[in-house]
Amino acid sequence: GNVFSMRTLARWFSSDRPVVGLQMSGLGGVGRPPLTIEAAAASHLQHLRSVQANGPYQLAGNCLGGWIAIEMARQLHAAGELVGALLLINSDLPAGRCARSAPKPLSERLRGKTVRQWLKAAKSQLTERAPERALWKAWELGLLHRGPLAVLTHRLPVAVMMMRRRYRPPPCPVAATLLLPSDRQVNAAERD
């Protein structure tokens, strides 16, 4: 999202604790968005280091920015830098992405379900997930890398979908704090 949505949070810090807001290119049609979380993190680190050359770094990420903040912490740690804090704000975490099991076929998932449940699942498969799957298949086949369809990767929602699909985070040795709304439940995989 837009970095300005976090300005209220930034105002809570005193002037002796400067806050740097980083926004992914491609938002609002400005620039081309990165297609990997790793590339987004590397770009953010380049900008961050132009303001603060060395750690300790205090990192925070909101929503998808949490994934980028995790990768930034991982890259900083690998470079021998100190990360003093890693704050994830309402992030849907990439939990369990390293060892994702193959989904059961739709027919097996619908066994024993009512007709209404079956129709709802079929609608979801056909109308909600089909465009995303088609874009992902086009990416896997190399159709979005260059040529006339490559322009789709300039659109931030497509880039974010690609980034989420491709990111397989290695362990990050930096402790993180996850801030969530009080009505959101966290499962064991997210907690780990």
Side-chain angles (χ1 to χ4, degrees), residues 13-47:
F13 293 93
S14 64
S15 59
D16 64 331
R17 178 89 120 191
V19 175
V20 178
L22 301 168
Q23 182 167 293
M24 191 167 22
S25 61
L27 192 64
V30 179
R32 184 174 182 187
L35 292 179
T36 66
I37 297 290
E38 294 88 348
S43 174
H44 282 1
L45 286 176
Q46 182 180 1
H47 293 295

Side-chain angles (χ1 to χ4, degrees), residues 1 44 60-70 72 87-88 91:
H44 282 1
N62 181 44
C63 197
L64 177 69
W67 294 30
I68 297 170
I70 291 169
M72 288 172 69
L87 183 63
L88 310 174
S91 282

Side-chain angles (χ1 to χ4, degrees), residues 16 33 51 78 80-81 129-130 146-147 151 156 175 177 180:
D16 64 331
V51 177
E81 289 285 355
R129 295 190 182 131
R146 57 191 160 282
V151 74
L156 191 60
T177 300
L180 299 172

Side-chain angles (χ1 to χ4, degrees), residues 81-99:
E81 289 285 355
L82 180 62
V83 177
L86 175 56
L87 183 63
L88 310 174
I89 305 167
N90 202 22
S91 282
D92 60 323
L93 301 175
R97 292 188 173 271
C98 294

Side-chain angles (χ1 to χ4, degrees), residues 2 4 6 18 50 53-55 62 65 76 81 90 94 104 120 127 139 145-146 148 157 161 163 173 185 188:
N2 191 309
F4 295 107
M6 301 303 292
S50 72
N54 299 92
N62 181 44
L76 285 167
E81 289 285 355
N90 202 22
K104 295 177 183 177
K120 184 177 178 182
T127 61
W139 173 262
H145 298 280
R146 57 191 160 282
M161 186 259 312
M163 291 167 38
Q185 299 297 316

